[in-house]
Structures are given as C-alpha cells and as structure tokens.
C-alpha cells in the first residue's frame, strides 16, 4: 500500500463521463486515491431511477449533470459544452459511456480523455466487444484503456490486460471474473500514470483490426449448419443480451446457459427446431442440440416470447403454475417482498400480481439489490440472480420464492451426469465433473483425463480436469458461502445436524462407496467397506458431535487479568473458524483422508475446496453428491479433480485461502509451505514416514508375526504409517522371518472385489514401477531378497508381497519409504535396547512406530524415547477417530482426528471488556 502511494505522487481534477456500476466503482476508487472529481456527466434518470454513478456522486456532493445528448444535428450543443467546461477538468475519464461525446469535450482538458474498452484492441472495435470475443471463439479476452481520438476505438493505447477464455465462459463470467474488477483497478492505475507523466501513447497496430456492430435480436437467430463449438459460441456470445434464438413450435425461443457436451448421446424426448437438420433432445439436464459435426451442445434455459423463462429440461412438463396456498408466515413474506419491489420500482404506483420486474424499468443491478434486501429479511430463502429472470412477474416470483422457502424440489436442482457401471453385483453411479458451488460442472477449459482401474488397467471414466479458472470459481464460492451465505449464519447445532445427516447417507451408500473405492484405488473390497468407508462414517459422526461444544471447556475460556482499579475488566477467548480451507489428499485412502480432514474443517464452521489425488477422484465426487443431498448449502464443499501441480499449487498460493491441510509426500509438503507464505496461511501437514517396529524376543511371537505383517502389508503397503523398517532381536530373527514367509504364501492375490482376496493391486502403474525399482536397489546394495520383489503375471498392477533381510543402516531401503508391500528387516543384538532405539530414531521421519514385548516397563520406556507422533505397543494400525494422529520432524506437523484436529481449523480471539 505504501509503495503504491510513493509511486504515484500527483493528483488530478477529473471529469467522469459515463454510467453504470462500473462507472460508480471507478469514481469511488479515484476519490479514495485522492483525485478530485470536479464533475460527473451521466445519463438522465430512467423510470424515476438515477444511474448508480449519479447516485454515488450526488451522495458525495459532487456536481452531477444528466444530459440526454451532447450533440444535435451532428453539432455540439453549446450550453452542454459550456456546462462541461465550467468544471475545469484536467482529464476526462470515460469508464463506460453509451453517448457520443463531441471532440470539443474530448480534447478540452489539459490531458485529454481516456476510455475503457472491453477488448484487446485493435480487435473487436465497436459496442458489442465482449459478445464478439465469445462469438468468434477467441482464446483470450481482455480490455484496453486508450486515449480518445476522432476515430471509433482507434486512439493510442495506454495499457492493456488480458485473461484466458474458458470453454464455457459467458459474457457475465468474463465481466464478473476479470473485466469488471481488473478494469476498475486499471482505470485508477491509468489516471495515476497520467498524473505522474508516465502514461504511454502506443499507436494501435493496423494488423488484426476488426470492427463489429451492435448485436440486435433480429440478427441473433441461430444458423444450425455449423459445428457444435460454433453453435455454443454463438449462444454464449449472446447470453444474456440480446439472446440467441430459434423458432420452435412457431414461436421465437431464446437459448441461455450453453455448454459443450462431451459424452454419449443422452436419453431424451425429441424436439423439432426450425432449420436444424436433427431434432434436439429434451433431457433431464436440459436441451441437447447438435452441430453439423454430430457433436453436442447442452442448453440449460429457454425463454419464450412473453418473457417467461423455464429450465429447458421442463419443456414438455405439465403446466406447474397452479397457485400455492400460502400460510400466514408466507403471506407476510409475500407482502415484505412486495414492499421491496415497490422500493425499487418507485415509478410504479401499485405492485400488482401482473407487474413485470424488468418491463417496469428494473435492470440487472436492481436484481442484485432486490435479492440482497430479501436475504436480509429472510436468510433461509436462498435466491439466485437467475431465479429473477425465470419469474419476472410478481405473482410468479412469489410462487417460486415460496417453493424455495419450503424446500420443494431441492433435489431436482442438483443435476448430475453419471458414469454408471454394473460391477460387484450392483450398479454404481459415479459423478465425474468438478463440483463447484453446489453444481457438477465441466472443467472451465473442457479438459478431461482418464481414471484407471488398477485391477485390469481399464478406463473407468473420463474425469474433468480442473483449471486455474475452476480453482478461482471454487474459492470464490467457498468465500461467499463463508462470509455471506447460509452456512456462516447457521448455528452450530444445525451444522452438526447436517454432518450427522451426511454420515447417515454415507452409511446408506456404503456398499456403493466401497465398490467405487475398490475399482478406483485397488483397495480390497472388504477393507474398503470396513476401513475406507466405515471409518469415514465414524469420523463425520464424531466431529458432528463437537459442533456445538467448541466454545466449551478449554476451547473458549474466561481469563483472570490484572484489574486497573477502580475499573473492572472481563477477558475471554473465542474460538472462530478460519474461513476458506484448501484440503489436498492422497490416493491411498481417498475417502478416509477426505473425512479425516474435511469433517474437522466443517465442524469448526469453515468452508472448503478439496483436491482429491488425480488418480483416485471418484469417491470424493460421490461424496460431493451426498453432501448436496444432505442439504449442505452451495459453496460450502467444493471438489476439484485434476493435477496437483496445477490445482494444488494454485490453492496453496491463493490469497483467499486461509488454511491448507495436506497429506502426501514430504517434498510436496515443503513446496506447499513456501506457497502458503504468500499470505501466511495456516498449514497442517501429514507427510512421509519410515516408521520403525521393534520386536523383542520376549514378545508373543505369533501375534508379532501377524501384527508385523499387517503393519507392512495392510492396504497393499500403501499406508502412511506402515512399518517401513522392522528391527527383530537376534535370537528370534530367523524364526520370525520363516513364519512371515510361511504366512505370505497363504495370501491370496487377486481381484479386490473377490471377498476372499487378501492382497489387491497397487494403486497405479507408475507406483508399481517405482516399487520394482526400489526392490532392485535393495538387491544391488546387498540386502537379501527372501521373498517376492516381482510383478505378478496377470493383468493389472499387482506386486508380490516382499521380504528383505540383512538390511544395513546405510542402505537406501533402510532410509527411504517404499509405500508398498515391502518388509525391510534388520537384526539387533540381544538385549541392546538403547542401541536399537538409536537406530530406530536415526531417520528424518517421525510419523508412527511400534514395539512388541511382554515387559511393560520396557515398552513404556521405549514409547517415551521413540521420536514419533504415534507409538503402538503390542498392536499396530490401531487408529481411532477420537485419538489425535500426526507426525514429528519431516513427517509434518498438526493433527488429524480427535479434539486436537479442531484446533487446526480454528483461530483464537481474545476479547477484553471494561465495566
């Protein structure tokens, strides 16, 4: 902030010429920066409503002039020009202006005039620049601030900014995400540059120059003999104004909300469209239309000639306009809404049932105002901008509002395209799109990737691969839900009720979830059912119970402090949610890792954006579906499948994310810490491990063998706390190894969906190859390969359970984690307790550890000395939702599970009151 003000020292007297909320924001920011606005020149009031720019200026006492026109018969109007000159401006700023301004005015100030134009000039000169950017399929959008001259958008360039255009971006998307916020900043920057004499004047190049006129309704008819992408660009380029249209059943029908549909042709009812060579299909998700390349476009909404808008999926539905009987509470709500309409439509004497919001003079800015006023009075009524366009008449709007208030058709609002498979004696339905702001949507740029079944290498589904734009949308949705949404206002007990409901739904769908987890991650089905899914359900129930207890006991406390007599003081603390949390999880326990982090996060009252591992996204997306059905408000939970290097990196450095919870490798954890430093995010990390398991000769040997094998081979060795190195006392070493090999030979390796299978495939091909290389390294270094070390000869990514002995401390396999079914055994001398402790602790990791002995004193001594976040005594892998879990050293910091996990997602505020 200080450097900004040091860089720009000089201030100017400005005339603002234009209109709209954009003009209002530019005006407010320029005044805040110390420039003096000596006059605002805007359009006359419309239907008794002043333009937003005029409202802001009048409130500040800035002179406001509302000229209907500046010229008459091609010549400047003298009294208008004289009024303009009277303010003595040094620079004209035109943020958004629909009037023709005479050159006498443009050239009058000392510094001339600058204009904002929403395209990368010289491309798309003219009044519909944003529309043409989309219609012509440009990959880049942007804006130009240029010096006005006597041409049409031809003046020298002062500055330009650009952004990527997503595959399904609309005019509103580009405007709200980039052109508006960045345009306001750039207008202020441009004025500063001029004030300090540093503003460039770069002549516009002739090459690439285009001019397109204003798009009007009569010119917006859809020409059907084009590829699907051209149809999509035409429809989205005209959304919302003037609206691309076609003739259906003899009337003009306007299309809104298009997206490219990359899937098999869905089931639906045919709809004849004039000029189209192939009928459209009315499906559960909308109207599907076809390009001349047989590819598809999905249209969400349709508007008829009388202004009524409907979901395209409802085109053939029976008329649902029968009036609802309102309760007394609903009647009061209707009258309150009528009063809000009256406050906006002040030119309308009486708000009748037939009053049309837009035909009575309202504009898009009034939509926002109306919805915000309703939200203030009825926080439980969640309305979107689109709801107003779907019900423009007062009676229709009330009917729609009451239905929403009652919670009717909530489930219908969630549109899901599934990949369905008949597997494991059931049909599993798997969402495959990004889940953002309560909706399943394609990635912004349309990219997908294949997720693979490790049991046979087949493709399960093509999954949306989230882009940077999707990250921004998801974070914005989570921020809005936290700061302004229903979630932020919800009491803690209601939050807990939603979490209990979600746990119930997960339990109801446990067999489907376990099946998806099995085919996507390779987990043995019985283990997936009991642990992957079972513990996830338990985790949500555990933290649901914490929701209304966070301020109790040590979570929020009163604190005795020194009293400055005669005053009395009360000091107390509050535990508060942090805000938007990014959660990045690994591929070994996809659903369980989601639950461990997100349950604590939600219980604390935060919102989240979760990135599942790229290779195992499917249970996370199914979880998103269940969260919506449980009633979680839009924006609270967002799921972004895709690349860790892209999505995870952007989340970790995003300025609106306040916390990152990560489970994965130590190198990635270090990178996240660096990225999180951009805004000093809170971070918790559960990273790599090389967990030691010490087995003494006085143990119960058969139990130690059984538990030791579980410590290594549980979940195919893809287990963060797996015993990475076993230290076996010399006197029992050979017998222990013999018994382990004997038990391995009994293990059944095979289809993870087979209930008798003990050992399934490794998670993905690259990991299998890494494990085979790990074993080769062990052999080369001189360790003894007792068993396994090879890929199983069958389709899929199967590896034999492996045993190494004679492993010395300096070897690679003694120091580095395999994250697979590899048992690494070293001897230690009989009775050498302190010596084996030194060897066990001689690692940079400290996630878990274990000891087997009947001597409880020795066990407790060792548990005290082991440098690990968890110590198991005569057991292993025994985790519980109530017990904190996390590591020391380079295994990370922070805790999952238990009461301590809540602290990772809360901040402490101290409050002192004098009385």
């Amino acid at each position: 902030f200080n450097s900004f003000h040091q860089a720009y020292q000089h201030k100017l007297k400005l005339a603002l010429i234009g209109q709209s909320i954009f003009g209002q924001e530019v005006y407010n920011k320029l005044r805040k920066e110390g420039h003096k606005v000596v006059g605002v020149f805007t359009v006359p009031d419309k239907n008794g409503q002043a333009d937003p720019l005029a409202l802001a200026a009048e409130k500040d006492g800035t002179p406001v002039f509302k000229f209907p026109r500046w010229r008459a018969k091609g010549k400047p109007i003298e009294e208008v020009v004289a009024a303009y000159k009277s303010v003595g401006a040094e620079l004209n700023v035109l943020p958004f202006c629909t009037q023709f301004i005479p050159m006498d005015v443009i050239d009058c100030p000392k510094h001339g005039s600058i204009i904002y134009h929403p395209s990368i000039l010289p491309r798309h000169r003219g009044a519909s620049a944003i529309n043409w950017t989309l219609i012509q399929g440009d990959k880049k959008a942007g804006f130009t601030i240029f010096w006005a001259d006597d041409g049409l958008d031809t003046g020298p360039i002062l500055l330009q900014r650009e952004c990527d255009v997503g595959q399904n971006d609309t005019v509103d998307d580009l405007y709200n995400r980039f052109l508006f916020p960045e345009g306001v900043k750039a207008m202020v920057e441009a004025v500063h540059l001029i004030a300090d004499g540093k503003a460039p004047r770069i002549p516009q190049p002739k090459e690439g120059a285009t001019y397109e006129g204003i798009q009007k309704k009569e010119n917006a008819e859809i020409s059907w003999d084009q590829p699907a992408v051209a149809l999509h660009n035409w429809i989205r380029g005209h959304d919302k104004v003037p609206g691309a249209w076609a003739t259906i059943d003899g009337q003009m029908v306007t299309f809104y909300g298009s997206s490219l549909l990359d899937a098999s042709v869905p089931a639906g009812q045919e709809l004849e469209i004039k000029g189209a060579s192939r009928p459209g299909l009315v499906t559960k998700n909308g109207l599907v239309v076809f390009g001349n390349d047989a590819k598809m476009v999905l249209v969400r909404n349709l508007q008829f000639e009388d202004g009524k808008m409907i979901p395209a999926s409802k085109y053939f539905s029976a008329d649902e306009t029968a009036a609802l009987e309102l309760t007394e509470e609903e009647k009061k709500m209707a009258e309150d809404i009528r009063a809000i309409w009256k406050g906006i439509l002040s030119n309308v004497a009486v708000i009748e049932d037939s009053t049309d919001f837009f035909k009575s003079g309202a504009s898009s800015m009034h939509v926002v105002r109306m919805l915000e006023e309703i939200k203030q009075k009825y926080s439980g009524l969640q309305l979107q901008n689109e709801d107003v366009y779907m019900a423009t008449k007062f009676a229709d709007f009330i009917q729609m509002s009451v239905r929403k208030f009652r919670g009717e058709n909530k489930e219908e609002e969630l549109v899901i395209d599934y990949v369905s498979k008949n597997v494991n004696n059931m049909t599993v339905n798997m969402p495959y799109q990004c889940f953002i702001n309560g909706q399943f949507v394609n990635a912004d740029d349309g990219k997908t990737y294949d997720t693979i079944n490790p049991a046979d290498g087949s493709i399960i589904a093509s999954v949306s691969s989230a882009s940077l734009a999707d990250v921004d949308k998801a974070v914005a949705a989570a921020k809005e839900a936290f700061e302004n949404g229903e979630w932020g206002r919800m009491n803690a007990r209601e939050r807990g009720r939603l979490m209990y409901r979600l746990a119930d739904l997960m339990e109801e769908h446990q067999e489907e979830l376990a099946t998806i987890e099995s085919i996507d991650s390779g987990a043995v089905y019985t283990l997936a059912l009991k642990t992957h899914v079972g513990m996830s359900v338990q985790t949500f129930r555990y933290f649901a119970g914490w929701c209304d207890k966070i301020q109790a006991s040590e979570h929020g406390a009163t604190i005795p402090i020194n009293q400055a007599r005669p005053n009395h003081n009360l000091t107390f603390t509050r535990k508060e949610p942090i805000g938007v949390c990014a959660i990045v999880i690994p591929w070994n326990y996809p659903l369980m890792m989601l639950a461990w982090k997100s349950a604590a996060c939600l219980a604390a009252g935060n919102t989240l954006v979760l990135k599942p591992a790229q290779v195992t996204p499917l249970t996370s997306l199914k979880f998103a579906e269940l969260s919506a059905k449980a009633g979680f408000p839009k924006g609270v939970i967002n799921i972004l499948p895709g690349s860790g290097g892209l999505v995870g990196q952007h989340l970790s450095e995003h300025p609106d994310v306040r916390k990152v919870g990560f489970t994965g490798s130590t190198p990635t954890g270090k990178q996240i810490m660096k990225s999180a430093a951009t805004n000093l995010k809170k971070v918790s990390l559960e990273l790599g491990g090389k967990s030691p398991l010490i087995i003494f000769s006085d143990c119960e040997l058969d139990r130690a063998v059984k538990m030791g094998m579980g410590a290594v081979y549980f979940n195919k060795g893809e287990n963060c706390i797996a015993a990475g190195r076993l230290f076996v006392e010399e006197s029992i070493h050979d017998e222990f190894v013999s018994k382990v090999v004997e038990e391995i030979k009994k293990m059944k390796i095979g289809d993870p969906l087979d209930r008798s299978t003990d050992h399934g495939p490794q998670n993905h091909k690259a990991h299998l190859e890494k494990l085979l290389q790990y074993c080769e390294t062990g052999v080369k270094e001189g360790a003894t390969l007792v068993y396994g070390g090879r890929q199983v000869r069958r389709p899929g990514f199967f590896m034999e359970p492996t045993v190494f002995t004679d492993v010395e401390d300096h070897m690679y396999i003694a120091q580095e984690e395999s994250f697979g079914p590899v048992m690494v055994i070293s001897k230690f001398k009989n009775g050498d307790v302190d010596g084996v402790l030194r060897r066990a602790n001689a690692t940079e990791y400290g996630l878990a550890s274990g000891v087997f002995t009947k001597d409880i004193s020795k066990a407790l001594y060792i548990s005290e000395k082991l440098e690990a976040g968890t110590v198991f005594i005569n057991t292993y892998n025994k985790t519980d939702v109530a017990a904190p879990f996390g590591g020391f050293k380079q295994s990370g910091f922070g805790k999952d599970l238990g009461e301590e996990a809540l602290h990772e997602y809360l901040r402490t505020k101290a409050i002192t009151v004098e009385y």
Side-chain angles (χ1 to χ4, degrees):
F1 183 83
N2 289 336
S3 63
F4 181 82
H5 281 272
Q6 289 166 6
Y8 300 117
Q9 301 286 338
H10 303 97
K11 308 301 176 187
L12 294 176
K13 291 191 288 185
L14 308 173
L16 253 73
I17 305 174
Q19 63 212 71
S20 79
I21 293 177
F22 183 76
Q24 180 190 61
E25 280 297 299
V26 172
Y27 165 84
N28 288 333
K29 291 288 193 299
L30 287 169
R31 290 186 77 250
K32 187 176 180 181
E33 292 297 327
H35 297 283
K36 183 173 178 59
V37 180
V38 294
V40 164
F41 299 84
T42 187
V43 294
D45 296 355
K46 182 179 179 182
N47 296 320
Q49 300 283 333
D51 184 81
L53 175 56
L55 288 173
E58 287 168 348
K59 182 179 178 181
D60 295 331
T62 302
V64 177
F65 303 84
K66 302 178 182 180
F67 300 132
R69 64 190 62 83
W70 293 71
R71 300 187 304 179
K73 298 181 180 179
K75 294 183 178 181
I77 301 172
E78 289 185 11
E79 54 268 33
V80 171
V81 174
Y84 161 77
K85 290 182 176 180
S86 70
V87 302
E90 297 172 315
L91 173 69
N92 292 331
V93 178
L94 286 74
F96 174 72
C97 183
T98 57
Q99 296 177 313
F100 285 101
I101 310 301
M103 290 306 297
D104 306 53
V105 172
I106 292 294
D107 293 336
C108 180
K110 171 184 175 182
H111 296 291
S113 303
I114 59 169
I115 301 177
Y116 171 93
H117 185 78
S119 80
I120 306 170
L121 291 174
R123 188 163 173 78
H124 303 311
R125 293 169 176 159
S128 297
I130 315 177
N131 304 73
W132 285 104
T133 297
L134 295 177
I135 291 168
Q136 295 194 357
D138 293 0
K139 299 301 182 185
K140 296 283 185 181
F143 59 81
T144 304
I145 297 172
F146 67 97
W147 300 92
D149 64 5
D150 58 359
L152 184 61
D153 303 331
T154 56
I157 294 168
L158 195 160
L159 61 79
Q160 288 184 320
R161 300 283 186 270
E162 65 177 37
C163 67
D164 293 330
V165 178
Q167 179 177 279
N168 294 317
D169 273 342
T170 63
V171 170
D172 284 351
D173 290 333
L174 290 176
Y175 187 70
N176 295 329
R177 186 176 75 238
F178 184 80
L179 299 176
F180 182 103
E182 295 304 317
V184 171
K185 293 177 190 175
M187 287 297 282
V188 176
E189 180 184 349
V191 172
H192 283 315
L193 290 169
I194 294 168
D196 285 355
K198 299 176 181 177
R201 292 175 179 263
I202 304 167
Q204 290 192 32
K206 294 180 179 179
E207 185 179 351
T210 64
Y211 171 81
E212 296 93 8
I214 296 174
Q215 277 300 90
K216 297 182 179 179
K217 192 72 174 183
E218 57 265 29
N219 300 327
E221 184 176 7
I222 301 167
S223 174
W224 292 102
D225 190 20
Q226 301 181 81
V229 68
L231 296 178
H232 168 57
N233 288 338
W234 185 261
I235 295 168
R236 67 175 177 150
H238 290 83
D239 188 341
K240 299 264 188 306
V241 178
W245 60 275
T247 301
I248 302 176
D249 289 335
Q251 69 166 311
M252 179 191 292
V253 178
T254 306
F255 291 27
Y256 295 111
S258 74
S259 58
L260 290 171
L261 184 59
D262 183 15
S264 56
V265 177
Q269 188 172 349
E270 288 191 352
L271 178 65
E272 293 293 335
I273 303 172
K274 185 178 178 181
S277 61
R278 182 173 176 178
L281 288 174
V282 176
T283 73
K284 65 177 183 179
N285 297 328
L287 173 63
V288 174
V289 294
F290 299 87
N292 60 11
D293 55 358
K295 294 184 178 179
M296 296 176 288
V297 176
L298 179 66
V299 178
R300 298 288 185 187
N301 299 311
L302 301 173
Q303 187 175 40
F304 299 105
E305 289 177 355
D306 63 1
K308 182 179 180 181
M309 188 182 287
I310 63 165
S313 60
K314 302 290 187 184
Y315 186 87
F316 289 115
S317 299
D319 187 8
E320 297 175 356
T321 59
L324 298 171
E325 287 289 333
L326 306 190
T327 65
E328 290 303 314
E329 180 187 13
E330 290 164 350
K331 288 177 182 176
K332 181 180 182 305
M333 181 177 73
E335 290 310 308
D336 287 340
I337 294 174
R338 193 186 299 272
I340 291 169
W341 277 46
K342 176 59 181 163
I344 295 170
L345 305 175
S346 56
N347 56 304
V348 178
V350 179
I351 303 297
E352 306 281 359
D353 284 354
S354 59
T355 300
D356 188 288
F357 191 67
F358 296 107
K359 290 179 180 177
S360 299
S363 64
S364 58
M365 73 171 183
H366 296 116
V367 172
V368 176
R369 173 183 162 185
M370 187 244 288
L371 295 185
E372 288 301 313
E373 288 191 41
I374 293 173
K375 190 188 296 183
Q376 283 183 332
K377 281 186 170 290
Y378 295 94
S379 60
L381 179 55
Q382 296 297 306
L383 298 173
Q384 308 297 322
N385 290 10
E386 198 165 89
D387 294 326
V388 185
Y389 293 100
M390 301 281 265
T392 60
K393 293 181 180 177
F394 182 76
D396 294 338
F397 185 80
I398 291 299
Q399 293 285 303
M400 178 272 300
S401 298
V402 169
R403 285 192 167 93
K404 291 243 180 188
F405 191 66
R406 292 177 180 180
E408 294 180 11
N409 301 323
K410 266 194 173 180
E411 200 163 305
E412 290 183 10
E413 294 174 6
L414 182 65
V415 177
I416 309 174
D417 288 336
Y418 291 117
V419 169
S420 298
K421 288 192 178 294
N422 294 315
V423 61
N424 201 24
N425 298 317
M426 69 181 76
T427 300
V428 293
N429 296 310
M430 297 171 284
Y432 60 87
Q433 297 165 294
C434 302
F435 186 71
I436 302 174
N437 201 26
Q439 299 293 329
F440 284 102
V441 294
N442 291 328
D444 184 83
D445 57 11
K447 289 184 179 178
T448 62
Y449 69 94
D450 293 335
T451 185
I452 305 298
N453 184 340
D456 58 14
S458 64
I459 296 172
I460 305 170
S462 288
V463 178
S464 293
S465 184
S467 67
L468 296 182
D470 295 309
V471 175
D472 291 339
K473 289 176 185 178
V475 172
K479 185 181 181 186
E480 175 68 17
F482 180 77
E483 294 180 353
N484 302 312
E486 178 186 356
W487 182 254
R489 298 186 298 271
M490 188 179 292
N491 68 58
R493 194 160 294 171
E494 177 65 13
R495 199 161 65 235
R497 188 192 67 79
L498 283 180
M499 291 183 66
Y500 277 122
R501 173 63 180 145
L502 177 54
D504 290 344
L505 283 171
M506 291 168 70
E507 190 169 58
E508 287 175 26
H509 289 262
Q510 62 181 332
E511 293 181 348
E512 184 179 21
L513 285 166
T515 301
I516 297 170
E517 190 93 333
S518 184
I519 64 174
D520 203 25
S521 75
V524 172
Y525 174 76
T526 50
L527 178 66
L529 190 63
K530 178 181 183 295
T531 301
H532 291 232
V533 179
M535 194 172 188
S536 300
V537 173
Q538 292 174 24
T539 303
F540 268 91
R541 286 186 175 144
Y542 173 81
F543 283 108
W546 267 111
C547 286
D548 60 355
K549 303 170 185 67
I550 286 173
Q551 296 301 340
S553 67
E554 70 274 15
H555 283 278
T558 56
I559 302 169
I561 65 169
N562 256 351
Q563 305 288 346
R565 295 179 181 175
N567 299 321
H568 295 277
N569 299 97
L570 170 67
T571 295
F572 61 95
T573 60
R574 279 182 53 83
K575 290 288 186 179
E576 298 179 344
I578 296 170
V580 178
C581 299
I583 294 175
V584 182
I585 58 172
W587 42 258
N588 56 328
Y589 296 103
L591 186 63
M592 194 170 79
M593 292 295 99
L594 174 153
W596 280 23
K597 284 180 163 44
S598 63
C601 174
L602 294 168
N606 301 289
T607 57
L608 64 88
V609 180
L610 181 139
K611 195 205 86 64
Q614 186 167 4
V615 291
T616 54
L618 296 179
T619 42
S620 293
L621 294 171
K622 190 68 180 180
F623 167 85
E625 175 193 343
L626 298 179
S627 73
K629 290 180 176 177
F632 276 77
K634 291 180 179 180
V636 175
I637 294 170
N638 304 271
I639 310 289
L640 297 179
S643 162
L646 184 75
V647 177
Q649 176 67 24
H650 195 39
L651 282 171
S652 64
E653 62 192 15
H654 199 291
D656 290 331
V657 172
R658 293 297 171 188
K659 152 80 190 203
V660 178
F662 171 74
T663 295
S665 73
T666 297
T668 303
K670 291 177 179 179
Q671 179 59 46
I672 283 174
M673 285 191 71
K674 289 179 184 178
S675 301
T678 53
N679 66 338
L680 297 180
K681 294 174 178 65
K682 192 172 184 178
V683 177
S684 56
L685 304 171
E686 194 251 282
L687 306 176
K690 188 67 175 174
S691 301
L693 175 57
I694 304 171
I695 300 174
F696 286 95
S697 59
D698 63 350
C699 71
E700 187 179 324
L701 187 58
D702 287 343
R703 178 176 177 82
V705 168
K706 180 182 177 183
M707 289 289 180
M709 290 181 66
V712 176
Y713 302 127
F714 187 81
N715 201 48
K716 313 110 64 182
E718 295 167 354
N719 186 18
C720 49
I721 58 172
R725 191 174 181 194
L726 275 65
F727 295 93
V728 181
E729 198 161 9
E730 194 170 26
S731 61
I732 61 167
H733 174 275
D734 292 349
E735 185 180 1
F736 179 86
V737 173
S738 176
K739 285 179 175 287
V740 166
V741 172
E742 184 181 339
E743 291 301 315
I744 288 175
K745 291 176 180 178
K746 299 175 185 176
M747 291 172 65
K748 179 178 178 180
I749 302 172
D751 181 0
L753 294 176
D754 185 334
R755 304 313 192 258
S756 63
T757 294
D758 298 302
H759 190 78
Q762 305 311 135
N763 186 277
H764 51 281
K765 185 178 181 181
H767 184 54
L768 171 63
E769 292 169 349
K770 178 183 172 185
L771 287 171
L772 296 173
Q773 187 176 11
Y774 183 92
C775 293
E776 287 177 16
T777 301
V779 171
K780 287 177 183 176
E781 288 189 330
T784 301
L785 178 61
V786 176
Y787 193 90
R790 296 169 300 183
Q791 181 175 358
V792 178
R793 292 181 177 274
R794 60 172 291 156
F797 313 136
F798 292 85
M799 180 178 178
E800 295 175 337
T802 299
V803 179
F804 278 102
T805 60
D806 302 318
V807 178
E808 298 179 14
D809 295 352
H810 69 274
M811 292 180 179
Y812 177 84
I813 65 172
Q815 297 174 0
E816 296 298 327
E817 180 180 31
S818 72
F819 213 64
V822 182
M823 183 177 285
V824 175
I825 303 175
S826 298
K827 291 180 188 177
F828 68 94
K829 291 181 179 179
N830 294 332
D832 188 9
V833 174
D834 290 325
V836 75
L837 269 172
R838 281 193 299 273
R839 295 172 71 190
N841 285 330
T843 172
E844 274 301 299
Y845 300 109
L847 188 56
S849 59
V851 57
F852 278 83
T853 176
K854 292 178 183 176
D855 184 339
I856 192 64
S857 297
K858 181 164 61 178
L860 292 174
Y861 171 77
I862 289 171
S863 70
E864 181 182 328
K865 297 296 182 182
L866 282 169
E867 297 170 1
T870 297
V871 181
F872 298 107
I873 298 176
N874 294 329
T875 187
Y876 209 90
N877 286 327
K878 179 58 180 172
T879 55
D880 187 87
V881 295
F885 180 91
F888 298 163
K889 300 188 284 189
Q890 290 198 44
S891 288
F893 51 83
K895 298 295 182 183
D896 290 326
L897 302 180
E899 181 180 348
E900 285 197 37
L902 290 166
H903 298 305
E904 305 298 331
Y905 297 94
L906 292 164
R907 63 187 183 188
T908 303
K909 178 182 287 182
I911 302 167
T912 298
V913 183
E914 186 172 291
Y915 60 96

